[in-house]
Amino acid sequence: SRKEIQGGEKSCCQVVGNKIVAITKAKRPGAVLKSEMGSVNEYQFDEAFDEKVPQIEVYKRTAARLIPSVLEGFNVTVFAYGATGAGKTHTMMGSERMDAERATGAEGGQTCGII
């Protein structure tokens, strides 16, 4: 969040190659226990995004390729995984502000949200 960045906090997550999320646990000063020594865990996904990727890129790399199947009558699932407050619902649905702007044409025709 903006507040955390202003407070000097750094992200513990890094996206590697658009498919891997590396989570770094920093070593605690004076650490004795193995769990306090610091570590890096990597998790692989079909697609992974950092906070700088725009919604349209998320759509193009995930849901867009499923649309033809939906139109042919197949069921599809887009599974969004992330921490509470990370923006999953906003990415999938947009926001009321963006929906209102889109309805009035104030946004310039750019789409927002996957659904």
Side-chain angles (χ1 to χ4, degrees):
S1 74
R2 192 172 300 150
K3 183 178 178 182
E4 291 169 320
I5 292 170
Q6 289 172 345
E9 299 293 333
K10 295 181 181 176
S11 177
C12 64
C13 299
Q14 180 181 13
V15 176
V16 180
N18 297 327
K19 303 245 183 236
I20 296 172
V21 176
I23 300 177
T24 303
K25 181 179 177 182
K27 180 179 179 179
R28 284 192 45 206
V32 176
L33 300 174
K34 183 179 179 182
S35 63
E36 300 175 314
M37 296 294 182
S39 62
V40 177
N41 294 314
E42 294 183 348
Y43 303 91
Q44 186 163 346
F45 300 91
D46 292 336
E47 295 286 346
F49 306 94
D50 66 19
E51 68 279 0
K52 297 175 186 135
V53 175
Q55 275 189 320
I56 191 69
E57 185 69 19
V58 173
Y59 171 76
K60 286 178 180 177
R61 288 174 41 198
T62 58
R65 65 180 174 247
L66 302 174
I67 300 304
S69 296
V70 170
L71 296 175
E72 291 176 13
F74 291 96
N75 293 323
V76 302
T77 300
V78 176
F79 183 78
Y81 178 81
T84 300
K88 298 174 300 294
T89 301
H90 173 74
T91 297
M92 296 296 287
M93 303 298 291
S95 67
E96 290 180 27
R97 179 183 62 80
M98 296 299 277
D99 291 342
E101 289 175 359
R102 190 176 357 179
T104 62
E107 191 182 353
Q110 184 179 3
T111 56
C112 170
I114 290 176
I115 298 175

